[in-house]
Amino acid sequence: MKHRIVVLGAGYAGAFAAGNLARRLSPADTEITVVNAVPDFVERMRLHQLAIGQDLASRKLADVFAGTGVRLRLARVTGVDPERRTVAVTGEDGEDGEDNLAYDTLLYALGSSVAHHGVPGVAEYAFDVTGRSSALRLRERLARLGEGGTVLVVGEGLTGIETATEFAESRPDLSVALAARGELGAWLSPKARRHLRQAFDRLGITVHEHTGIEAVEPTRAIADRVTGVSIPADVTVWAAGFAVHPIAAASGLEVAETGQIVVDRTMRSVSHPDVYAAGDCAYAIGENGRPLPMSCASAGFTNMQATAAIIARLTGSEVPATGLKYYGNHVSLGRRDAIFQMVDGDVRSKSWYLGGKAAARLKSGVLKASGWSIAHPTFGMPKRRRRLATAPDPAGVRVAA
């Protein structure tokens, strides 16, 4: 009987991992299935562009995995039973009923969604760019917003900055503002911070620093419910963090306070050795001793380590230790400007940064490379793929130092 590998989620982590597994493991021994709720690959790093009205090329997952041997199951994950080694799935709107999908090895890569943080009105009135459907909903709302309309982006992280600058550049007829809990660009070096502020000034973005949003209403965001201080906003875009789906916690897998699956250095669940996690849903410790942040870069690190570990353990090889170290943060400031900030081992900004058109071209190259790698998940099948060991050790072999 073939070893059944099930990958949950076909985002940056899941799609690349499935292709890598198919490329390096023999189909005579393995059966790889990817479960995803929607038929298209979603370029999450570009959803703010989609929201403001730019057209992005879509990639059908059926086309992505065609000829790779990877099976695609379009379904929504409703539960995981790590004791029985099954995944409960259902078709869209439950039209196909619920089904149980069995696995021998599970790679959990369901990603994350917007975190409301319990703020009143966010779920009802705010928009976000964490998923294709939510980005399209925001796109429709912005298309109806006339000249002089007000847009408030809440959150000073990478998503908030990229969203605010993209909106201001693409729609100069709108009044765009950003609410930051702290100082804008506080994590950047002094020179990069000046570059960021100059970009905001050039684009006419109003910045409300040291401003936490305590409630969202249809036409405003309330910064202080006691005094009633508020910021006018025809549209509020919530970019104040990410949260993972509670499925992992409900399954009995060991999770952190964030709901992320606690994994060892090889991205293997510390409570269930047949389960691996990659991307935003993995609580992984980086080389600096700190949890990896939810980001596309982390998706790359963790999926490479997870797939390397799965392949090594199934084929009886030594598990390699792939890098879990950040070298920099890249943030777009519209289509013609960007910042690439180098960081040290403790993720503190170095004095050097790259800005302007050169940084924008670099970011564009990163996006294109990511898109190409998803469109070519196996990078061309090799002539020879590895066979599974006769009896792989479920406890795992030693990890390379």
Side-chain angles (χ1 to χ4, degrees), residues 289-311:
R290 302 174 185 173
L292 293 177
M294 296 185 188
S295 69
C296 185
S298 295
F301 299 152
T302 55
N303 94 68
M304 286 189 288
Q305 179 61 81
T307 54
I310 292 170
I311 292 164

PDB file of all heavy atoms in Angstrom, residues 289-311:
ATOM      1  N   GLY A 289      16.170  32.078  18.486  1.00  0.00           N
ATOM      2  CA  GLY A 289      15.487  31.654  19.697  1.00  0.00           C
ATOM      3  C   GLY A 289      14.095  32.225  19.870  1.00  0.00           C
ATOM      4  O   GLY A 289      13.459  32.006  20.907  1.00  0.00           O
ATOM      5  N   ARG A 290      13.589  32.931  18.866  1.00  0.00           N
ATOM      6  CA  ARG A 290      12.257  33.541  18.940  1.00  0.00           C
ATOM      7  C   ARG A 290      11.306  32.877  17.944  1.00  0.00           C
ATOM      8  O   ARG A 290      11.747  32.365  16.918  1.00  0.00           O
ATOM      9  CB  ARG A 290      12.344  35.036  18.636  1.00  0.00           C
ATOM     10  CG  ARG A 290      13.272  35.808  19.559  1.00  0.00           C
ATOM     11  CD  ARG A 290      13.405  37.234  19.088  1.00  0.00           C
ATOM     12  NE  ARG A 290      14.366  37.984  19.878  1.00  0.00           N
ATOM     13  CZ  ARG A 290      14.763  39.224  19.584  1.00  0.00           C
ATOM     14  NH1 ARG A 290      14.274  39.845  18.510  1.00  0.00           N
ATOM     15  NH2 ARG A 290      15.645  39.843  20.350  1.00  0.00           N
ATOM     16  N   PRO A 291      10.000  32.905  18.219  1.00  0.00           N
ATOM     17  CA  PRO A 291       9.044  32.336  17.268  1.00  0.00           C
ATOM     18  C   PRO A 291       9.100  33.069  15.935  1.00  0.00           C
ATOM     19  O   PRO A 291       9.210  34.308  15.897  1.00  0.00           O
ATOM     20  CB  PRO A 291       7.687  32.541  17.952  1.00  0.00           C
ATOM     21  CG  PRO A 291       8.013  32.687  19.407  1.00  0.00           C
ATOM     22  CD  PRO A 291       9.332  33.383  19.453  1.00  0.00           C
ATOM     23  N   LEU A 292       9.041  32.329  14.849  1.00  0.00           N
ATOM     24  CA  LEU A 292       9.002  32.954  13.532  1.00  0.00           C
ATOM     25  C   LEU A 292       7.691  33.727  13.383  1.00  0.00           C
ATOM     26  O   LEU A 292       6.639  33.244  13.773  1.00  0.00           O
ATOM     27  CB  LEU A 292       9.092  31.893  12.435  1.00  0.00           C
ATOM     28  CG  LEU A 292      10.404  31.118  12.307  1.00  0.00           C
ATOM     29  CD1 LEU A 292      10.272  30.057  11.217  1.00  0.00           C
ATOM     30  CD2 LEU A 292      11.560  32.053  11.993  1.00  0.00           C
ATOM     31  N   PRO A 293       7.752  34.926  12.818  1.00  0.00           N
ATOM     32  CA  PRO A 293       6.514  35.689  12.611  1.00  0.00           C
ATOM     33  C   PRO A 293       5.692  35.089  11.478  1.00  0.00           C
ATOM     34  O   PRO A 293       6.213  34.349  10.636  1.00  0.00           O
ATOM     35  CB  PRO A 293       7.031  37.086  12.237  1.00  0.00           C
ATOM     36  CG  PRO A 293       8.356  36.828  11.591  1.00  0.00           C
ATOM     37  CD  PRO A 293       8.942  35.659  12.344  1.00  0.00           C
ATOM     38  N   MET A 294       4.405  35.394  11.469  1.00  0.00           N
ATOM     39  CA  MET A 294       3.556  34.968  10.363  1.00  0.00           C
ATOM     40  C   MET A 294       3.905  35.823   9.143  1.00  0.00           C
ATOM     41  O   MET A 294       3.667  37.029   9.142  1.00  0.00           O
ATOM     42  CB  MET A 294       2.082  35.138  10.724  1.00  0.00           C
ATOM     43  CG  MET A 294       1.624  34.262  11.874  1.00  0.00           C
ATOM     44  SD  MET A 294      -0.162  34.423  12.154  1.00  0.00           S
ATOM     45  CE  MET A 294      -0.354  33.507  13.683  1.00  0.00           C
ATOM     46  N   SER A 295       4.471  35.210   8.136  1.00  0.00           N
ATOM     47  CA  SER A 295       4.908  35.947   6.950  1.00  0.00           C
ATOM     48  C   SER A 295       5.169  34.985   5.810  1.00  0.00           C
ATOM     49  O   SER A 295       5.283  33.772   6.016  1.00  0.00           O
ATOM     50  CB  SER A 295       6.186  36.741   7.249  1.00  0.00           C
ATOM     51  OG  SER A 295       7.281  35.863   7.440  1.00  0.00           O
ATOM     52  N   CYS A 296       5.295  35.538   4.602  1.00  0.00           N
ATOM     53  CA  CYS A 296       5.616  34.714   3.447  1.00  0.00           C
ATOM     54  C   CYS A 296       7.010  34.121   3.597  1.00  0.00           C
ATOM     55  O   CYS A 296       7.258  32.978   3.196  1.00  0.00           O
ATOM     56  CB  CYS A 296       5.524  35.541   2.168  1.00  0.00           C
ATOM     57  SG  CYS A 296       5.778  34.576   0.662  1.00  0.00           S
ATOM     58  N   ALA A 297       7.945  34.880   4.160  1.00  0.00           N
ATOM     59  CA  ALA A 297       9.300  34.364   4.358  1.00  0.00           C
ATOM     60  C   ALA A 297       9.277  33.146   5.269  1.00  0.00           C
ATOM     61  O   ALA A 297       9.946  32.143   5.006  1.00  0.00           O
ATOM     62  CB  ALA A 297      10.199  35.452   4.941  1.00  0.00           C
ATOM     63  N   SER A 298       8.503  33.215   6.345  1.00  0.00           N
ATOM     64  CA  SER A 298       8.389  32.073   7.249  1.00  0.00           C
ATOM     65  C   SER A 298       7.769  30.868   6.546  1.00  0.00           C
ATOM     66  O   SER A 298       8.139  29.711   6.813  1.00  0.00           O
ATOM     67  CB  SER A 298       7.552  32.437   8.475  1.00  0.00           C
ATOM     68  OG  SER A 298       8.192  33.419   9.259  1.00  0.00           O
ATOM     69  N   ALA A 299       6.829  31.121   5.643  1.00  0.00           N
ATOM     70  CA  ALA A 299       6.237  30.025   4.874  1.00  0.00           C
ATOM     71  C   ALA A 299       7.311  29.305   4.074  1.00  0.00           C
ATOM     72  O   ALA A 299       7.315  28.075   3.966  1.00  0.00           O
ATOM     73  CB  ALA A 299       5.143  30.553   3.952  1.00  0.00           C
ATOM     74  N   GLY A 300       8.236  30.079   3.503  1.00  0.00           N
ATOM     75  CA  GLY A 300       9.318  29.477   2.742  1.00  0.00           C
ATOM     76  C   GLY A 300      10.244  28.648   3.611  1.00  0.00           C
ATOM     77  O   GLY A 300      10.562  27.496   3.287  1.00  0.00           O
ATOM     78  N   PHE A 301      10.676  29.241   4.749  1.00  0.00           N
ATOM     79  CA  PHE A 301      11.571  28.520   5.657  1.00  0.00           C
ATOM     80  C   PHE A 301      10.956  27.211   6.137  1.00  0.00           C
ATOM     81  O   PHE A 301      11.582  26.154   6.103  1.00  0.00           O
ATOM     82  CB  PHE A 301      11.889  29.377   6.895  1.00  0.00           C
ATOM     83  CG  PHE A 301      12.590  30.671   6.604  1.00  0.00           C
ATOM     84  CD1 PHE A 301      12.431  31.747   7.456  1.00  0.00           C
ATOM     85  CD2 PHE A 301      13.398  30.821   5.487  1.00  0.00           C
ATOM     86  CE1 PHE A 301      13.074  32.956   7.208  1.00  0.00           C
ATOM     87  CE2 PHE A 301      14.040  32.011   5.230  1.00  0.00           C
ATOM     88  CZ  PHE A 301      13.880  33.093   6.091  1.00  0.00           C
ATOM     89  N   THR A 302       9.728  27.315   6.628  1.00  0.00           N
ATOM     90  CA  THR A 302       9.109  26.156   7.288  1.00  0.00           C
ATOM     91  C   THR A 302       8.708  25.066   6.317  1.00  0.00           C
ATOM     92  O   THR A 302       8.803  23.881   6.636  1.00  0.00           O
ATOM     93  CB  THR A 302       7.894  26.605   8.120  1.00  0.00           C
ATOM     94  OG1 THR A 302       6.979  27.327   7.277  1.00  0.00           O
ATOM     95  CG2 THR A 302       8.318  27.504   9.275  1.00  0.00           C
ATOM     96  N   ASN A 303       8.258  25.437   5.106  1.00  0.00           N
ATOM     97  CA  ASN A 303       7.866  24.380   4.170  1.00  0.00           C
ATOM     98  C   ASN A 303       9.092  23.649   3.649  1.00  0.00           C
ATOM     99  O   ASN A 303       9.052  22.436   3.432  1.00  0.00           O
ATOM    100  CB  ASN A 303       6.983  24.933   3.041  1.00  0.00           C
ATOM    101  CG  ASN A 303       7.748  25.314   1.790  1.00  0.00           C
ATOM    102  OD1 ASN A 303       8.282  24.475   1.090  1.00  0.00           O
ATOM    103  ND2 ASN A 303       7.777  26.601   1.488  1.00  0.00           N
ATOM    104  N   MET A 304      10.217  24.349   3.474  1.00  0.00           N
ATOM    105  CA  MET A 304      11.436  23.668   3.039  1.00  0.00           C
ATOM    106  C   MET A 304      11.936  22.701   4.100  1.00  0.00           C
ATOM    107  O   MET A 304      12.366  21.583   3.794  1.00  0.00           O
ATOM    108  CB  MET A 304      12.508  24.694   2.683  1.00  0.00           C
ATOM    109  CG  MET A 304      12.257  25.421   1.373  1.00  0.00           C
ATOM    110  SD  MET A 304      13.651  26.445   0.833  1.00  0.00           S
ATOM    111  CE  MET A 304      13.559  27.783   2.024  1.00  0.00           C
ATOM    112  N   GLN A 305      11.867  23.126   5.378  1.00  0.00           N
ATOM    113  CA  GLN A 305      12.308  22.242   6.448  1.00  0.00           C
ATOM    114  C   GLN A 305      11.361  21.064   6.606  1.00  0.00           C
ATOM    115  O   GLN A 305      11.792  19.917   6.782  1.00  0.00           O
ATOM    116  CB  GLN A 305      12.406  23.008   7.760  1.00  0.00           C
ATOM    117  CG  GLN A 305      12.830  22.167   8.958  1.00  0.00           C
ATOM    118  CD  GLN A 305      14.211  21.562   8.780  1.00  0.00           C
ATOM    119  OE1 GLN A 305      15.220  22.211   8.992  1.00  0.00           O
ATOM    120  NE2 GLN A 305      14.263  20.284   8.397  1.00  0.00           N
ATOM    121  N   ALA A 306      10.061  21.311   6.534  1.00  0.00           N
ATOM    122  CA  ALA A 306       9.083  20.231   6.689  1.00  0.00           C
ATOM    123  C   ALA A 306       9.219  19.190   5.592  1.00  0.00           C
ATOM    124  O   ALA A 306       9.232  17.981   5.860  1.00  0.00           O
ATOM    125  CB  ALA A 306       7.667  20.803   6.713  1.00  0.00           C
ATOM    126  N   THR A 307       9.307  19.632   4.337  1.00  0.00           N
ATOM    127  CA  THR A 307       9.422  18.670   3.240  1.00  0.00           C
ATOM    128  C   THR A 307      10.737  17.904   3.309  1.00  0.00           C
ATOM    129  O   THR A 307      10.772  16.697   3.047  1.00  0.00           O
ATOM    130  CB  THR A 307       9.283  19.370   1.876  1.00  0.00           C
ATOM    131  OG1 THR A 307      10.216  20.452   1.789  1.00  0.00           O
ATOM    132  CG2 THR A 307       7.883  19.900   1.677  1.00  0.00           C
ATOM    133  N   ALA A 308      11.822  18.596   3.668  1.00  0.00           N
ATOM    134  CA  ALA A 308      13.110  17.912   3.798  1.00  0.00           C
ATOM    135  C   ALA A 308      13.043  16.831   4.874  1.00  0.00           C
ATOM    136  O   ALA A 308      13.588  15.730   4.706  1.00  0.00           O
ATOM    137  CB  ALA A 308      14.211  18.921   4.124  1.00  0.00           C
ATOM    138  N   ALA A 309      12.358  17.138   5.983  1.00  0.00           N
ATOM    139  CA  ALA A 309      12.246  16.172   7.074  1.00  0.00           C
ATOM    140  C   ALA A 309      11.373  14.984   6.684  1.00  0.00           C
ATOM    141  O   ALA A 309      11.694  13.828   6.981  1.00  0.00           O
ATOM    142  CB  ALA A 309      11.682  16.861   8.318  1.00  0.00           C
ATOM    143  N   ILE A 310      10.250  15.263   6.022  1.00  0.00           N
ATOM    144  CA  ILE A 310       9.356  14.181   5.592  1.00  0.00           C
ATOM    145  C   ILE A 310      10.088  13.244   4.638  1.00  0.00           C
ATOM    146  O   ILE A 310      10.050  12.011   4.785  1.00  0.00           O
ATOM    147  CB  ILE A 310       8.085  14.760   4.934  1.00  0.00           C
ATOM    148  CG1 ILE A 310       7.222  15.483   5.969  1.00  0.00           C
ATOM    149  CG2 ILE A 310       7.281  13.645   4.259  1.00  0.00           C
ATOM    150  CD1 ILE A 310       6.079  16.279   5.366  1.00  0.00           C
ATOM    151  N   ILE A 311      10.758  13.803   3.655  1.00  0.00           N
ATOM    152  CA  ILE A 311      11.468  12.988   2.662  1.00  0.00           C
ATOM    153  C   ILE A 311      12.572  12.167   3.319  1.00  0.00           C
ATOM    154  O   ILE A 311      12.721  10.968   3.054  1.00  0.00           O
ATOM    155  CB  ILE A 311      12.042  13.903   1.557  1.00  0.00           C
ATOM    156  CG1 ILE A 311      10.897  14.503   0.733  1.00  0.00           C
ATOM    157  CG2 ILE A 311      13.006  13.128   0.667  1.00  0.00           C
ATOM    158  CD1 ILE A 311      11.305  15.681  -0.120  1.00  0.00           C
TER     159      ILE A 311
END
